[in-house]
Amino acid sequence: MSNTASSGTPMAAEPLTRAVLEIDEYVSGLGWDQPARLFALVDTVQLRSQEPGLAQRLGLTEDAPEGTLTPIEQDELPAGSPLDEFLGTIAWPDAVVGCAMSVERLMLPPSAEASVPAGLDEKRLAKWVAEHPERQEVRMTVGVLRGGKRESALRLREKDSATEVLTGSDLVPGLAEALGATFAE
């Protein structure tokens, strides 16, 4: 029997893992075909002491263990803006200890990647993947901390259940690098 928080999110030992799973669960409740969503990660104890009004609005009324992270959703990402370009414009205030993003993508199994036609531009490649019979829709939630720690959660649309979410620090290295770069001096 797994240890589960009252929200249904599995209890994880690491605060970053818990935050990433909490975001995955939140976005999952919104359904599929969602835009990318960006979250600031703040230290819950600091938030409660420095911004009590905001903490209360977020429902953070109980004492939290040291190191607990609270995700705060940011404004919607600009439509049509490439993700890497958008992330390159972000500068976080000091109170933000990390950030996370949830994004949906189409994935092919490794067996199908060998059959990708050569010479396709990005638009034609996306069309080819979207029409491939073995494609899978996946939601990737990636979190990074200022110090470089990272965590990811992957949820396949065909296995859309909290018990089927894969977690690991290196599942989505490209997005983790891009998010980490938002903290570069």
Side-chain angles (χ1 to χ4, degrees), residues 105-129:
R105 290 289 183 260
L106 292 176
M107 256 179 30
L108 291 178
S111 59
E113 289 179 15
S115 64
V116 175
L120 294 181
D121 62 24
E122 204 169 313
K123 194 173 185 178
R124 290 194 314 200
L125 176 62
K127 185 177 184 334
W128 185 85
V129 170

Side-chain angles (χ1 to χ4, degrees), residues 63-179:
D63 285 340
E66 192 69 37
T68 301
L69 299 170
T70 296
I72 300 176
E73 187 168 4
Q74 303 301 291
D75 292 337
E76 198 168 304
L77 279 60
S81 175
L83 214 47
D84 55 345
E85 286 179 22
F86 170 72
L87 290 174
T89 67
I90 294 176
W92 297 104
D94 290 343
V96 174
V97 298
C99 66
M101 178 169 270
S102 182
V103 63
E104 294 177 15
R105 290 289 183 260
L106 292 176
M107 256 179 30
L108 291 178
S111 59
E113 289 179 15
S115 64
V116 175
L120 294 181
D121 62 24
E122 204 169 313
K123 194 173 185 178
R124 290 194 314 200
L125 176 62
K127 185 177 184 334
W128 185 85
V129 170
E131 294 172 350
H132 196 283
E134 293 179 66
R135 74 186 177 281
Q136 293 187 338
E137 289 181 75
V138 63
R139 179 181 303 116
M140 304 176 287
T141 303
V142 178
V144 299
L145 298 180
R146 278 187 191 273
K149 189 173 184 69
R150 51 175 72 171
E151 185 62 75
S152 309
L154 294 181
R155 182 186 291 249
L156 295 174
R157 190 170 190 159
E158 69 180 32
K159 293 184 178 183
D160 193 2
S161 133
T163 59
E164 296 287 340
V165 175
L166 301 172
T167 58
S169 61
D170 290 321
L171 297 177
V172 193
L175 183 53
E177 290 290 327
L179 289 171

